[in-house]
């Protein structure tokens, strides 16, 4: 019989109507009572970590979650974390980097409609999350609408529909149908020691390019941040005619600011080797993101900057995939 721990953080799933709209109020034990009739062979205990709308979620709260898993890791076979949907993808990625090589499932879920409502997706999502937390797999996953997504590959695409999350640039790990888990491929486990490092540097900015952006703005940003993620166009080009952003970006990396180039396109990732607007970037110093999504890049950069102050080492960590970036499928 599996022994599971439910960690609750708030979110829509735990919300009730108030004078100013929906806000989290349901604690862990009450949340679990809505799915207490499940017929699975497991026991579950609960801890209410916080009761936040995930819009208010901060990196310090990621640390609280990671530390909770670490503190209870040896006592349980799997973990379910309930979370608001708006920043769930950021949290899933952050936990993936802080909790590396887990040999137990750490499953994050939530809902689009509160569990206290008559019509809700919350009960199904919690049941599915519990079901997957009983599996003999390790790592951080998002379970939502019957889909299992690698923790670093989830993106929220829809604000109201039950199928709010998609797996970007990576296959779904599995699908859950009632009590059955259907894997795309069986996950191969490797015996690597579980490590926890919650050191984060939050001096990170996300900047989305648009036509007309003033280059001078980058001068001010360089004194405020240690890392900047730039969502560029298409394959990862930077304008160098008219308003010359390329010159300013090269100046930033030469000053030791870690600059990560990604793309505003959701699928297929950047490739700065194709066009002149990409090749002109100093690729010896700038950090490439390959096909990572922004929700994973931002927390990975915070984590990497928390490990090292050397821009070259941060670049190496950012560009080197770890087990949490890609599920290991058997050959």
């Amino acid at each position: 019989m599996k022994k599971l721990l439910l960690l609750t953080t708030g979110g829509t799933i735990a919300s009730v109507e108030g004078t100013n709209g929906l806000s989290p109020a349901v604690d862990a034990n009450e949340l679990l009572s809505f799915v207490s009739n499940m017929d699975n062979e497991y026991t579950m205990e609960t801890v209410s970590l916080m009761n936040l709308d995930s819009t208010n979620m901060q990196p310090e709260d990621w640390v609280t979650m990671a530390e909770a898993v670490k503190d209870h890791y040896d006592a349980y076979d799997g973990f379910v974390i309930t979370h608001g949907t708006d920043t769930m993808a950021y949290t899933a990625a952050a936990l993936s980097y802080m909790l590396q090589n887990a040999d137990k499932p750490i499953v994050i879920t939530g809902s689009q409609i509160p569990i206290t409502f008559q019509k809700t997706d919350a009960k199904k999502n919690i049941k599915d999350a519990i079901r997957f937390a009983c599996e003999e797999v390790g790592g951080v996953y998002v379970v939502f609408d019957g889909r299992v997504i690698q923790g670093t590959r989830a993106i929220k695409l829809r604000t109201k529909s039950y199928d709010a999350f998609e797996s970007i640039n990576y296959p779904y790990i599995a699908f859950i149908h009632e009590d059955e888990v259907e894997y795309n491929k069986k996950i191969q486990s490797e015996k690597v020691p579980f490590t926890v490092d919650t050191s984060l540097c939050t001096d990170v900015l996300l900047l989305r390019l648009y036509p007309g952006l003033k280059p001078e703005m980058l001068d001010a940003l360089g004194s405020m941040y240690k890392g900047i993620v730039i969502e560029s166009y298409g394959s990862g080009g930077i304008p160098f005619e008219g308003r010359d952003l390329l010159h300013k970006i090269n100046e930033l990396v030469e000053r030791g600011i870690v600059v990560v180039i990604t793309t505003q396109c959701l699928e297929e990732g950047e490739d700065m080797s194709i066009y002149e607007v990409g090749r002109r970037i100093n690729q010896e110093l700038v950090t490439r993101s390959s096909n990572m999504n922004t929700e994973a890049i931002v927390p990975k950069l915070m984590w990497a900057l928390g490990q090292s102050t050397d821009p070259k080492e941060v670049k190496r960590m950012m560009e080197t995939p770890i087990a949490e970036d890609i599920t290991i499928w058997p050959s």
Side-chain angles (χ1 to χ4, degrees), residues 159-185:
T159 60
K160 298 181 177 67
S161 303
Y162 286 175
D163 60 340
F165 287 87
E166 299 279 356
S167 182
I168 298 298
N169 295 323
Y170 204 76
Y172 291 102
I173 303 301
F175 298 92
I176 302 175
H177 308 286
E178 298 296 334
D179 289 333
E180 297 296 323
V181 178
E182 178 186 329
Y183 288 90
N184 269 329
K185 296 180 181 178

Side-chain angles (χ1 to χ4, degrees), residues 21-188:
L22 290 172
S23 63
V26 178
D27 67 18
N29 286 327
E30 185 180 356
L31 196 69
L32 188 60
S33 70
F34 285 92
V35 290
S36 59
N37 62 339
M38 288 183 65
D39 194 27
N40 297 68
E41 293 186 357
Y42 69 91
T43 61
M44 177 167 273
E45 296 175 3
T46 64
V47 174
S48 295
L49 287 180
M50 59 196 79
N51 234 352
L52 293 175
D53 186 303
S54 71
T55 297
N56 289 321
M57 195 68 67
Q58 299 294 325
E60 292 77 11
D61 300 313
W62 301 339
V63 172
T64 298
M65 288 179 242
E67 294 286 351
V69 172
K70 180 190 76 170
D71 292 344
H72 295 91
Y73 191 78
D74 292 334
Y76 296 92
D77 300 307
F79 300 85
V80 174
I81 302 173
T82 55
H83 194 288
T85 59
D86 288 348
T87 59
M88 184 186 293
Y90 289 96
T91 296
L95 292 180
S96 298
Y97 298 120
M98 290 190 287
L99 303 170
Q100 291 190 30
N101 305 314
D103 60 358
K104 302 175 182 182
I106 302 163
V107 185
I108 306 173
T109 194
S111 68
Q112 293 286 66
I113 300 175
I115 201 166
T116 55
F117 283 29
Q118 184 173 1
K119 183 180 180 181
T120 177
D121 57 331
K123 296 175 185 178
K124 170 180 167 50
N125 287 344
I126 290 184
K127 288 180 180 179
D128 288 348
I130 292 173
R131 177 66 188 85
F132 196 73
C134 292
E135 290 289 285
E136 295 291 336
V137 298
V140 178
Y141 303 93
V142 170
V143 169
F144 213 94
D145 194 43
R147 304 169 180 178
V148 182
I149 304 172
Q150 183 88 15
T152 55
R153 295 291 176 167
I155 286 184
K156 183 180 179 182
L157 287 186
R158 303 173 186 91
T159 60
K160 298 181 177 67
S161 303
Y162 286 175
D163 60 340
F165 287 87
E166 299 279 356
S167 182
I168 298 298
N169 295 323
Y170 204 76
Y172 291 102
I173 303 301
F175 298 92
I176 302 175
H177 308 286
E178 298 296 334
D179 289 333
E180 297 296 323
V181 178
E182 178 186 329
Y183 288 90
N184 269 329
K185 296 180 181 178
K186 194 63 178 178
I187 299 171
Q188 177 179 317

